[in-house]
Amino acid sequence: MRKKPIDDVVSVYGNSESAKALRRVEVAKTKHKERSMKIALSIAAVLVVLVVGVVVIGALLPKHHVASRSAVFRAPAPQLLALISGAQEWRPDVKICEVFGKDGRTFQRETSQHGQTVMYELQGSQPPNRIERRIATEGLPYAGTWTFDLEPTRVNGLAPGQGTRVRITEDGEVYNPVFRFVSKFIMGQTATQDAYLKAMGKATGEEIHIED
């Protein structure tokens, strides 16, 4: 049987002061390793509990949700509708956007700055007051539609019809429980709508105030 480090010390130095000092060092090292192992196991246990908690809470949240946000723009509805229905490179999160027709339907294929590509179908168009974007890519952990309602709104300093309230209503489903947890408690279910409206504000050269 292999001797322990402490036994090696005793065999070499006996019970001298040097041996006692070395034994204390070895004991301290052993205790340090034991403490480190306990800490590592405790951290691993906490992480497991957190992951399980996120999954359980996410599983209890409803898959379906509806969320709505709006903002007033100093621009007419046709101008804003053209932004919504056209290429989306005016949004900072979009790297490439292709707009094309197929079988009498219109699609937007977006590639994000991170390389993810998602296709949307434009439907229910009622120019210049309404248009809907439906997620057409299958197999994603989410699905649903965004309905854009553009309502002429009186804005100080502008002629009638030159101001527009844009409302985005999201009717969506999130299938992955972790995504549901993140969407509900970390990102917020209106985060992407807020980002879209802010980007539209920059595209029209104005600061906007987002409302429910």
Side-chain angles (χ1 to χ4, degrees):
M1 181 182 295
R2 187 184 183 283
K3 292 183 178 180
K4 298 179 180 179
I6 294 177
D7 296 332
D8 293 337
V9 170
V10 173
S11 64
V12 174
Y13 295 99
N15 290 317
S16 66
E17 290 301 320
S18 296
K20 291 179 181 178
L22 288 173
R23 280 199 296 272
R24 286 195 292 271
V25 170
E26 291 296 335
V27 169
K29 287 182 178 179
T30 301
K31 289 183 177 179
H32 177 72
K33 289 180 180 179
E34 291 176 351
R35 282 197 301 270
S36 297
M37 182 62 70
K38 288 179 180 178
I39 292 172
L41 291 173
S42 297
I43 292 174
V46 169
L47 290 175
V48 169
V49 170
L50 287 175
V51 171
V52 172
V54 167
V55 173
V56 170
I57 294 172
L60 294 174
L61 293 173
K63 291 182 182 180
H64 177 257
H65 69 273
V66 176
S68 180
R69 299 286 268 173
S70 72
V72 173
F73 294 84
R74 299 174 65 86
Q79 177 185 341
L80 299 173
L81 184 65
L83 285 175
I84 297 167
S85 59
Q88 300 291 293
E89 283 91 351
W90 52 269
R91 290 162 44 205
D93 57 315
V94 176
K95 183 178 181 180
I96 301 171
C97 180
E98 305 167 78
V99 181
F100 62 95
K102 182 179 180 181
D103 300 328
R105 300 153 68 188
T106 303
F107 296 89
Q108 293 170 317
R109 182 164 47 220
E110 296 180 6
T111 300
S112 73
Q113 297 291 349
H114 302 293
Q116 182 186 23
T117 298
V118 179
M119 189 156 63
Y120 301 87
E121 180 184 2
L122 298 178
Q123 57 188 28
S125 180
Q126 300 175 24
N129 303 117
R130 171 174 282 206
I131 194 167
E132 184 178 283
R133 286 200 346 152
R134 179 186 68 85
I135 297 174
T137 298
E138 297 181 354
L140 296 175
Y142 54 85
T145 61
W146 273 14
T147 299
F148 294 82
D149 288 300
L150 293 80
E151 177 187 357
T153 302
R154 182 71 179 181
V155 176
N156 291 336
L158 294 182
Q162 296 302 301
T164 308
R165 176 177 293 278
V166 177
R167 177 171 295 281
I168 305 175
T169 301
E170 178 176 290
D171 189 334
E173 291 187 343
V174 181
Y175 307 122
N176 187 305
V178 176
F179 273 54
R180 287 204 293 272
F181 181 93
V182 172
S183 174
K184 178 71 174 179
F185 298 110
I186 299 177
M187 290 180 56
Q189 291 181 328
T190 64
T192 51
Q193 293 157 281
D194 291 350
Y196 194 101
L197 291 169
K198 287 178 182 178
M200 186 178 288
K202 288 185 178 180
T204 56
E206 59 185 303
E207 291 290 332
I208 60 165
H209 176 64
I210 297 176
E211 303 172 338
D212 288 331

